[in-house]
Amino acid sequence: MRVHWEGDAFDPECPTRVVLDRVGDKWTVLIVDILDSGPKRFNEIRLAIGGITPKVLTSTLRSLVADGLVEREVFAEVPPRVEYSLTELGRSLQEPGAALRTWAEANVAEIVDNRDRHDEEQASASL
């Protein structure tokens, strides 16, 4: 058994930053949200997300399994069936991930407007 310790995200050597990279990834937030309703097959996840390539989804799912956030279960059927589901650790990420997604959806228009205004100001300044 490993000793429990807490990280320090402000320490550049701390692996907490790796965790923040993982949970801050847009695909992670969406996959966790999709799996919150129960186990899903690969194509169910891909179709629910939209816009993710199979290669990126495969890579992200592998990372989530390695991190212990998602469980991959292979069923001995012909053809083989594989389902992905959240672990308890993955479920603990659902609430903050959903809050982040909700915040992004609520504020996207303002952010896009700000970016457009900034781009226009930069273009005017360079003339």
Side-chain angles (χ1 to χ4, degrees), residues 17-106:
R17 291 184 179 198
V18 175
V19 175
L20 290 173
D21 284 343
R22 168 71 53 235
V23 300
D25 177 78
K26 66 182 173 183
W27 303 122
T28 295
V29 171
L30 297 176
I31 290 168
V32 168
D33 202 36
I34 289 165
L35 293 179
D36 188 51
S37 63
K40 301 279 185 287
R41 296 178 74 172
F42 183 90
N43 279 329
E44 291 177 296
I45 298 168
R46 187 178 59 78
L47 292 173
I49 290 177
I52 188 170
T53 66
K55 180 179 177 181
V56 170
L57 179 56
T58 297
S59 175
T60 304
L61 286 169
R62 283 182 182 156
S63 296
L64 292 171
V65 168
D67 291 343
L69 298 170
V70 169
E71 180 178 64
R72 180 180 187 269
E73 186 174 3
V74 181
F75 295 87
E77 300 174 357
V78 178
R81 178 170 53 105
V82 177
E83 288 185 347
Y84 297 89
S85 59
L86 293 177
T87 63
E88 285 304 311
L89 183 60
R91 286 204 177 286
S92 73
L93 181 57
Q94 202 287 326
E95 185 177 340
L100 181 58
R101 181 184 50 78
T102 300
W103 181 89
E105 291 170 346

